[in-house]
Amino acid sequence: MGEPGPPAHVRSCLAAALGPVDVIHALGGAAWMVEVDGRRLVAKSGPGAPDEADGLRQLGSAPGAPPVPDVVLVDACLLVTTAVDQMPRTHRHDDALGRDLALLHQAPYPQWGGGSSWVGACGVDPSPWPNGHAFYANRLRELAARCRLEPVVGPVAARLPELLPVGGPAMVHGDLWWGNVLSGSDGRAWVIDPSVHGGCPEEDLAMLALFGEVPDRLLRAYAEVRPLDPGWEERIGLFQLAPLLVHAVLFGGSYRSRADAVARRYA
């Protein structure tokens, strides 16, 4: 049996807007590689499509930021972008990602928070906040309430004025795990599936470290453009708490245990 294609309503939407769908390959989840009128495109179905499209456009407009696919089509539940030609990851990609992330993080954002209403498949409050500790406290408490971790996360939220670094807000990708980094055949590290908002740059670095190693050369390339703030290594776990809570909301199990353990370190 062949790989499953998108449901009928996705096919019909693609055909109506772009032309007949010639070739389809499943990419996992609710995403497919499609060929329409000779163009390779990626179609992704889900309620966060408009926010993701807006995030891609924001990243694409930030000078020097990591490259992103172009938005071809977006509606309430469907996002279509150009496909990225890929190759195996090399040192060149790590250098490029470090440098380009630092340039992205030099882009100011008009408020803390704001931006996307989704982190992956998890809905979040997109409200803007007057300062960083208010934004992160709201994000942590909101997520903790949904996975019954308020007692341990509440003290962390209360300590944020003393725990967070100064500065910001900056534009951050917001969901930068390695699965959302593509090694382009052009030698650059492309990024996809953003949850763009105003935040602390350490968010993106901590997320990269959550599900994989962050190479030293990436950090060196980053620091050559934008020096890392003192104590950033001690805050990696702090900035991993929100994505762990997102995963606890979505999947429970070991993610809830990990979020509990991390929260206790900073409570």
Side-chain angles (χ1 to χ4, degrees):
M1 295 180 63
E3 295 175 318
H9 73 279
V10 174
R11 279 180 174 270
S12 62
C13 183
L14 288 169
L18 303 173
V21 176
D22 299 319
V23 179
I24 298 174
H25 303 285
L27 296 176
W32 305 269
M33 181 77 72
V34 302
E35 187 171 311
V36 180
D37 195 24
R39 290 193 297 169
R40 284 195 320 124
L41 304 172
V42 173
K44 182 179 178 182
S45 178
D51 286 17
E52 186 174 326
D54 187 58
L56 289 172
R57 294 185 183 112
Q58 290 184 69
L59 293 172
S61 68
V68 295
D70 292 330
V71 175
V72 176
L73 172 70
V74 62
D75 66 17
C77 290
L78 178 65
L79 172 65
V80 181
T81 67
T82 52
V84 176
D85 291 327
Q86 298 179 59
M87 63 179 288
R89 179 177 152 201
T90 66
H91 291 330
R92 185 181 173 191
H93 293 104
D94 292 340
D95 291 339
L97 182 58
R99 180 183 62 252
D100 294 351
L101 266 184
L103 290 170
L104 168 65
H105 294 157
Q106 289 181 344
Y109 208 74
Q111 70 273 320
W112 289 94
S116 181
S117 306
W118 297 86
V119 179
C122 181
V124 292
D125 180 4
S127 300
W129 294 87
N131 53 60
H133 56 263
F135 162 61
Y136 287 112
N138 177 74
R139 178 63 54 93
L140 292 176
R141 289 183 173 123
E142 177 198 21
L143 293 168
R146 292 155 65 183
C147 55
R148 305 182 309 283
L149 284 174
E150 306 102 303
V152 68
V153 172
V156 182
R159 290 193 63 209
L160 288 176
E162 63 184 276
L163 294 174
L164 293 176
V166 298
M171 185 186 300
V172 297
H173 178 284
D175 192 13
L176 195 64
W177 67 293
W178 284 107
N180 286 342
V181 179
L182 307 180
S183 300
S185 60
D186 59 358
R188 299 189 69 188
W190 294 61
V191 297
I192 58 172
D193 300 351
S195 178
V196 170
H197 58 269
C200 176
E202 292 176 19
E203 251 194 88
D204 284 341
L205 295 174
M207 188 65 184
L208 276 177
L210 185 57
F211 296 115
E213 182 182 357
V214 181
D216 288 341
R217 63 184 307 125
L218 186 156
L219 294 173
R220 287 196 299 269
Y222 184 101
E224 287 174 1
V225 177
R226 182 186 179 278
L228 292 158
D229 292 326
W232 72 272
E233 291 175 297
E234 287 72 36
R235 291 187 292 270
I236 290 174
L238 178 66
F239 285 107
Q240 288 177 341
L241 182 54
L244 283 172
L245 289 169
V246 165
H247 282 73
V249 170
L250 293 175
F251 308 114
S254 63
Y255 290 113
R256 188 177 183 278
S257 300
R258 288 181 66 184
D260 182 282
V262 169
R264 292 181 187 278
R265 287 169 47 197
Y266 296 94

